[in-house]
Amino acid sequence: MKDFAFYNPVRVVMGEAALEKLAGVSAGRTVLLVCGGASARLNGSLERVAVAVRAQGGSIVQYGGITQCTYDAIVEGVRRVHECGADMVVGLGGASAMDTAKAVAFCAAHAGYDAYLKGELPQRNDEKLPLVLIPTYPSTGSEANGVSDIMGYAGGIHGVFADYTLLYPPFTYSLDARNTAFSTMVLLAQTGYRYLADENPVSRGCAASSLRAVLDAFGTCVENPESYEARATFLWASFLETSGLLGLSMEGRWTYSIFSAAGLLRFTLGTVYRENLAMVFPRWLVFAARHHPEPVCRFAVEVLGVSSGGGTEATVRAAYERTMGVLRRGGLPTTLEAYGIVPADEEVAAATERVSSKEFTVEEYCALVRACTTEAFPGLE
């Protein structure tokens, strides 16, 4: 086990007590509510949050329509905080809304916040407005970490955490099979990359247990989208994935290549993060097994439930089929043809200059993207 340091200051409340906690911490406050598009209104979360805030004399100023965390969105959020005198920020929705809420809560407390965003001045977690995050689409784990990725901007937030993360399963009941499958694939990739390279048997075991629970919950949610237990499983697994508890002793960084492989689709097709990870992950497992067969086979057996008796190629093939099966059952695209564009090798090769992991050669990255044009098993050679 390698040395490690662990820190996470976020206080988590799961279930009905989450809305009671929101009412308590927002009592008498003016809350800037940062949320996404129409989903918060459709799934009832916007109304329930407003009722909770007003229960003890709080008031809400809504800042909606956040589909990406951008510099302009942060500037507008800070302006609204100062205009309405908000003294608390609540982020409700997916990663974009929560990342924006983190940045607004921090920047609103600093007149010259550009210097902080650019890293010229250190960011301190105690120098922000009170901050509550409420995820409605569990996958990326933004509610658990201190990072805000600002699209198209060189800087960002690093080390600004929520005071509370509130996990309320009914807010995710409206997610259909497709969106639940996307959540499942993102968690498989983001937790799986930690599991595969982790030399800490405790955190690796936690990662395996979390992913097995997610796969079970996925099957349940396809049949019963309003399963409280299954939706709670997704919320908690998403929080754990990014909390820092998993991957504490990652030996080497070869698994970061999953994000580089997914990035190639973004650079060449313009598809979004969840689409890229869902498409690439089954193929990436096969290509990773060419270099690291032992951890990939262990993942197949311990996480995906594949039989261990058939040899490396049979085990990897079964892992490929299990992960492709999530795409099929959730109604997700299984090949790039679904997006109407297939990048040429030359485009992919040029895009490899922009990725950070050199685990695969340029030729291998091109072959991995080509493998996304067919459902056929790519093979280990």
Side-chain angles (χ1 to χ4, degrees):
M1 184 187 300
K2 293 182 69 177
D3 295 347
F4 63 86
F6 170 72
Y7 169 74
N8 192 300
V10 182
R11 287 165 284 189
V12 184
V13 182
M14 168 74 78
E16 291 293 337
L19 296 182
E20 296 172 8
K21 176 58 70 175
L22 178 60
V25 299
S26 63
R29 292 185 178 275
T30 299
V31 173
L32 183 75
L33 177 62
V34 182
C35 55
S39 60
R41 201 176 300 277
L42 293 173
N43 65 23
S45 60
L46 186 61
E47 181 180 356
R48 292 294 301 275
V49 166
V51 168
V53 170
R54 292 171 184 145
Q56 296 189 33
S59 62
I60 275 191
V61 177
Q62 186 180 337
Y63 178 30
I66 304 299
T67 57
Q68 283 190 329
C69 178
T70 65
Y71 180 79
D72 288 344
I74 295 165
V75 171
E76 175 62 16
V78 171
R79 186 191 70 78
R80 294 192 187 201
V81 164
H82 294 152
E83 179 180 72
C84 69
D87 53 1
M88 172 178 277
V89 177
V90 173
L92 172 70
S96 295
M98 291 188 288
D99 279 4
T100 303
K102 287 183 225 175
V104 169
F106 179 82
C107 291
H110 298 273
Y113 55 79
D114 276 2
Y116 292 92
L117 293 180
K118 293 175 181 177
E120 296 169 3
L121 293 173
Q123 299 172 10
R124 287 178 43 150
N125 192 45
D126 60 349
E127 295 178 347
K128 69 178 191 306
L129 296 182
L131 173 64
V132 175
L133 299 179
I134 310 172
T136 62
Y137 188 4
S139 59
T140 58
S142 176
E143 65 275 13
N145 65 24
V147 177
S148 292
D149 291 319
I150 305 174
M151 298 299 292
Y153 186 76
I157 291 292
H158 304 279
V160 176
F161 294 82
D163 297 296
Y164 288 93
T165 283
L166 307 180
L167 306 179
Y168 187 61
F171 285 170
T172 65
Y173 285 172
S174 62
L175 295 176
D176 58 13
R178 182 182 177 89
N179 282 304
T180 305
F182 272 130
S183 288
T184 303
M185 293 303 293
V186 170
L187 284 168
L188 278 171
Q190 291 190 165
T191 307
Y193 100 96
R194 301 180 194 277
Y195 166 93
L196 284 162
D198 196 354
E199 294 302 315
N200 180 325
V202 177
S203 61
R204 188 176 67 230
C206 289
S209 178
S210 178
L211 286 179
R212 288 195 300 268
V214 164
L215 289 168
D216 287 344
F218 169 66
T220 299
C221 288
V222 169
E223 302 299 326
N224 178 16
E226 296 189 5
S227 168
Y228 185 95
E229 292 298 326
R231 293 301 184 184
T233 295
F234 270 102
L235 284 167
W236 185 232
S238 175
F239 183 91
L240 284 179
E241 188 280 312
T242 321
S243 69
L245 279 169
L246 308 180
L248 287 174
S249 289
M250 288 180 66
E251 184 67 51
R253 302 186 180 274
W254 65 269
T255 54
Y256 288 177
S257 58
I258 178 58
F259 303 109
S260 290
L264 293 175
L265 298 189
R266 178 167 68 91
F267 297 143
T268 58
L269 302 181
T271 41
V272 299
Y273 183 74
R274 62 181 183 172
E275 294 171 334
N276 299 333
L277 279 183
M279 181 67 67
V280 163
F281 186 68
R283 284 85 177 184
W284 175 83
L285 278 177
V286 179
F287 279 74
R290 296 177 182 180
H291 297 267
H292 306 275
E294 184 176 347
V296 173
C297 286
R298 186 180 64 206
F299 178 85
V301 173
E302 294 186 0
V303 173
L304 301 176
V306 170
S307 171
S308 60
T312 298
E313 180 155 357
T315 301
V316 176
R317 181 187 291 272
Y320 177 77
E321 289 301 324
R322 292 284 173 90
T323 50
M324 289 290 285
V326 174
L327 302 183
R328 297 185 186 107
R329 192 171 184 189
L332 300 185
T334 56
T335 66
L336 289 178
E337 278 77 0
Y339 296 108
I341 310 172
V342 177
D345 280 0
E346 294 77 11
E347 296 176 88
V348 177
T352 60
E353 297 179 3
R354 302 172 64 183
V355 302
S356 59
S357 175
K358 306 305 178 185
E359 166 68 12
F360 302 132
T361 65
V362 172
E363 291 75 18
E364 285 177 310
Y365 274 125
C366 289
L368 195 158
V369 173
R370 282 199 306 274
C372 295
T373 65
T374 174
E375 291 191 14
F377 177 63
L380 293 183
E381 296 183 356

